[in-house]
């Protein structure tokens, strides 16, 4: 399957001094999913998925501020990222998964200490009890591109999921 999206919107931001700024945001995206079922070994299937996104922000925009935090006014930026993921369902209801994702909130910024982009590699294993219940165990290796700093923020995530 293939999908694409486009969105364009305008925003009028009121500054603390009573003046206003016009801002606009245009986003593009595309995704692709491939699911291969093996006819000779029922239950075996390969799942591939990927998505690309790009956003162009013009003018000052407000970001953040959720959960009681202070909103931040930022200048115009281009943002972009993508992910690719592969999963393989085995006959034993185990599904190993690997995913690579990257996001850059300021594509045009030079490679300096103030540039912040992030790459995440996820190594996971899903176990399906049945069609509606599974448990997932994932290790997320996070690599930031902020100068020479590597933050100790990798994650191990355990999730139990039930569909109703």
């Amino acid at each position: 399957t293939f999908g694409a999206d486009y969105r364009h919107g305008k925003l009028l931001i009121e500054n603390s001094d009573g003046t206003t700024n016009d801002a606009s945001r245009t986003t593009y995206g595309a995704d692709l999913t491939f699911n291969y079922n093996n006819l000779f070994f029922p239950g075996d299937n390969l799942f591939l998925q990927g998505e690309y996104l790009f956003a162009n922000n013009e003018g000052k925009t407000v970001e953040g501020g959720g959960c009681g935090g202070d909103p931040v006014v930022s200048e115009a930026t281009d943002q972009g990222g993508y992910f690719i993921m592969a999963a393989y369902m085995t006959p034993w209801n185990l599904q190993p998964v690997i995913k690579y994702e990257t996001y850059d909130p300021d594509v045009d910024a030079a490679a300096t200490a103030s540039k912040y982009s992030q790459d995440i590699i996820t190594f996971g294993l899903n176990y399906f009890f049945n069609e509606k219940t599974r448990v997932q165990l994932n290790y997320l290796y996070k690599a930031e591109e902020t100068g020479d700093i590597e933050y100790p923020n990798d994650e191990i995530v355990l999730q139990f999921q039930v569909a109703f």
Side-chain angles (χ1 to χ4, degrees):
T1 60
F2 174 77
D5 62 85
Y6 169 82
R7 177 180 69 171
H8 178 75
K10 295 191 180 229
L11 180 64
L12 184 64
I13 298 173
E14 185 174 337
N15 300 315
S16 58
D17 63 2
T19 61
T20 58
N21 292 328
D22 288 329
S24 70
R25 174 179 238 180
T26 304
T27 59
Y28 308 90
D31 60 88
L32 182 65
T33 302
F34 175 78
N35 199 353
Y36 173 76
N37 293 313
N38 190 333
L39 298 175
F40 299 106
F41 299 99
D44 288 8
N45 69 46
L46 176 66
F47 177 78
L48 303 172
Q49 186 175 37
E51 180 178 27
Y52 170 78
L53 60 95
F54 177 80
N56 173 262
N57 302 302
E58 295 181 8
K60 293 185 178 183
T61 59
V62 177
E63 299 173 357
C67 298
D70 293 328
V72 177
V73 177
S74 64
E75 298 293 330
T77 59
D78 287 339
Q79 303 165 324
Y82 65 90
F83 82 86
I84 52 174
M85 179 176 69
Y88 180 75
M89 179 60 81
T90 68
W92 308 282
N93 295 338
L94 284 172
Q95 184 183 50
V97 178
I98 188 164
K99 179 180 180 182
Y100 174 78
E101 56 190 303
T102 184
Y103 176 71
D104 189 346
D106 193 355
V107 173
D108 299 326
T112 65
S114 63
K115 180 172 178 67
Y116 183 83
S117 63
Q118 186 177 59
D119 299 329
I120 301 173
I121 302 173
T122 302
F123 303 95
L125 187 62
N126 300 330
Y127 178 74
F128 292 81
F129 294 97
N130 55 46
E131 289 182 5
K132 297 188 179 239
T133 310
R134 72 175 164 182
V135 65
Q136 299 173 278
L137 179 62
N138 293 311
Y139 173 73
L140 283 71
Y141 170 71
K142 298 181 178 183
E144 298 80 15
E145 295 179 21
T146 54
D148 295 329
I149 300 171
E150 172 71 25
Y151 295 101
N153 60 350
D154 296 354
E155 294 180 44
I156 295 176
V157 179
L158 179 65
Q159 176 177 314
F160 183 72
Q161 187 174 16
V162 178
F164 295 98

